[in-house]
Structures are given as structure tokens and as C-alpha cells.
Amino acid sequence: DSGVTQTPKHLITATGQRVTLRCSPRSGDLSVYWYQQSLDQGLQFLIQYYNGEERAKGNILERFSAQQFPDLHSELNLSSLELGDSALYFCASSVAPGQSNEKLFFGSGTQLSVL
Amino acid sequence: DAKTTQPNSMESNEEEPVHLPCNHSTISGTDYIHWYRQLPSQGPEYVIHGLTSNVNNRMASLAIAEDRKSSTLILHRATLRDAAVYYCILRDVGSGGSNYKLTFGKGTLLTVNP
């Protein structure tokens, strides 16, 4: 158990809908990362927050947004969903804001299926 | 992040050592070498990391070439539970400390035969 909690584990929805994925980092970790994993693209970095502020952005679509709350949990909002958004979404956390030798701890993911 | 090259797949027998290679010829002096693994239906899991010297922990050993252009993850006695995709990643915070993400490649799929 990595200590990172993601909910829900599975989500089935329809095209055009909006969903929210939730992540609770390990106790004491201030940094949260979101990744998307699909069969053809592998693990893709989406966005990172540190102590409530956005720190880095990857290949995140404009239809997607995220935030980190004062209690340090994070939410990833996906809107106007398309079939291609079906993927595993992972959250990871770490203590430090991106030092070269830091370790990331990943949750078990949310499997999103868009029908 | 600088690029790494890994074999697509490797096979091992249970209780035998496994050496997973990684080439990173464009590594810079401040890049750390990280290894993560992803077991089936799970999120990636940290394995080990190093900068210049060889490193050991309870999961594995990391052997880093003297010129740092390659490294090898060593699992001393493979078990069925070690079957996973292993990712070799170079990480540097970059200029101004703005490069925070871990960039995953395709990794090496390790199969462990009983």
C-alpha cells in the first residue's frame, strides 16, 4: 500500500459527460501529480500541484482541469468526455516539489470507461 | 528529461538473477537514474535510484557505468511477483528547477517463468 488513495476505482460514463477523480496524497506529502495511462500512449504526465499551486503542466487537454485543496487532496475534472478519454488515471504524491532524487508514490488508479 | 533506451521485453526463470539494462547516452551530470516498476493492474512503484555510485536496497541493486551512459537494474533472485514492466527514467529538475515530472518511456516487460 503506497498510502495514496484514489477514488473511485472504476467509473463508467457516457460521451459528453463530466466526471471528477479524487486523490488523497500520503500523509505529509505536499506534491500531487496526475498521469494518464492508455494502451497506445503509455503513461503520460498531465499536471502537478505543490501545496495548492500548479507547478508543471504536461499534455493535459483543455477539457481537463485539476486543483489541489487546502487539505492537500486533489481532484481531476474531465469534461465533454470522448471515447478516447477512456484510460487509467493515476495520482502520485511526493514530499518535495520536484527534486531530482525524490521518490513518487502512486495510487492504484481510477479506470475510466467512456461509452 | 533525457531519453533512455530499454529492451521491450526480457524473460527470466524464478530464483535466478535478472539484469535489466538501460542506455542513456545523453545523460547530463545532474541527472539521477530512477527505476520504477508497474505490476499488472497496479500503479507504478519506486524501485531504486542513483546518481554515480552503485546502490543497493531491499528490492534491487543499481549498477551504474563509470561514464554513466548506461545502468543495470539487478534483481538478485527473481520471483513470480517480480513480473512487471520496469521503467528506467532520468530525472533532473532542469534550469530554474521547473522540470518536476517523471517522464515514463515504454519500459521493459519482464516475464518470470516458474
Side-chain angles (χ1 to χ4, degrees):
Chain A
D1 181 10
S2 66
V4 177
T5 303
Q6 288 189 248
T7 56
K9 290 196 184 309
H10 303 277
L11 199 46
I12 302 174
T13 188
T15 54
Q17 295 298 304
R18 172 190 168 93
V19 297
T20 297
L21 313 183
R22 183 188 168 103
C23 169
S24 294
R26 290 188 326 154
S27 176
D29 284 359
L30 300 178
S31 201
V32 169
Y33 302 73
W34 286 98
Y35 282 82
Q36 178 192 56
Q37 186 172 36
S38 58
L39 285 173
D40 55 342
Q41 293 290 321
L43 269 161
Q44 298 287 313
F45 169 74
L46 296 178
I47 198 164
Q48 184 225 355
Y49 281 82
Y50 172 69
N51 206 19
E53 292 188 7
E54 181 185 306
R55 278 297 181 98
K57 222 168 188 176
N59 301 322
I60 187 166
L61 300 172
E62 283 191 17
R63 301 183 286 107
F64 296 1
S65 65
Q67 55 183 325
Q68 187 179 26
F69 294 87
D71 67 352
L72 301 176
H73 90 271
S74 178
E75 293 181 355
L76 179 67
N77 299 298
L78 315 176
S79 61
S80 304
L81 286 167
E82 302 174 0
L83 296 178
D85 297 328
S86 296
L88 256 173
Y89 290 84
F90 289 107
C91 167
S93 74
S94 68
V95 173
Q99 295 179 9
S100 294
N101 59 350
E102 73 165 342
K103 305 173 193 175
L104 264 62
F105 295 86
F106 284 79
S108 55
T110 293
Q111 177 68 62
L112 174 66
S113 299
V114 183
L115 305 178
Chain B
D1 294 314
K3 277 195 147 184
T4 62
T5 305
Q6 300 177 252
N8 289 334
S9 62
M10 289 186 65
E11 210 165 314
S12 170
N13 295 321
E14 202 174 6
E15 298 193 5
E16 289 184 358
V18 182
H19 290 233
L20 297 163
C22 181
N23 287 320
H24 28 78
S25 58
T26 60
I27 191 170
S28 74
T30 51
D31 281 334
Y32 275 78
I33 303 160
H34 291 250
W35 283 82
Y36 282 74
R37 71 179 185 180
Q38 187 173 18
L39 279 64
S41 303
Q42 294 188 28
E45 173 188 32
Y46 168 82
V47 177
I48 200 166
H49 75 275
L51 184 61
T52 55
S53 306
N54 295 344
V55 184
N56 299 298
N57 67 21
R58 63 173 181 82
M59 287 181 70
S61 296
L62 176 60
I64 302 173
E66 204 167 321
D67 63 5
R68 301 210 324 126
K69 293 186 176 182
S70 66
S71 61
T72 303
L73 179 70
I74 303 165
L75 306 179
H76 295 286
R77 287 184 67 209
T79 69
L80 297 178
R81 279 207 69 250
D82 291 321
V85 178
Y86 286 79
Y87 299 97
C88 170
I89 303 163
L90 300 184
R91 193 149 192 244
D92 181 22
V93 291
S95 59
S98 60
N99 181 16
Y100 296 107
K101 62 187 184 295
L102 273 179
T103 301
F104 288 81
K106 295 197 181 303
T108 297
L109 174 62
L110 175 66
T111 302
V112 180
N113 300 314

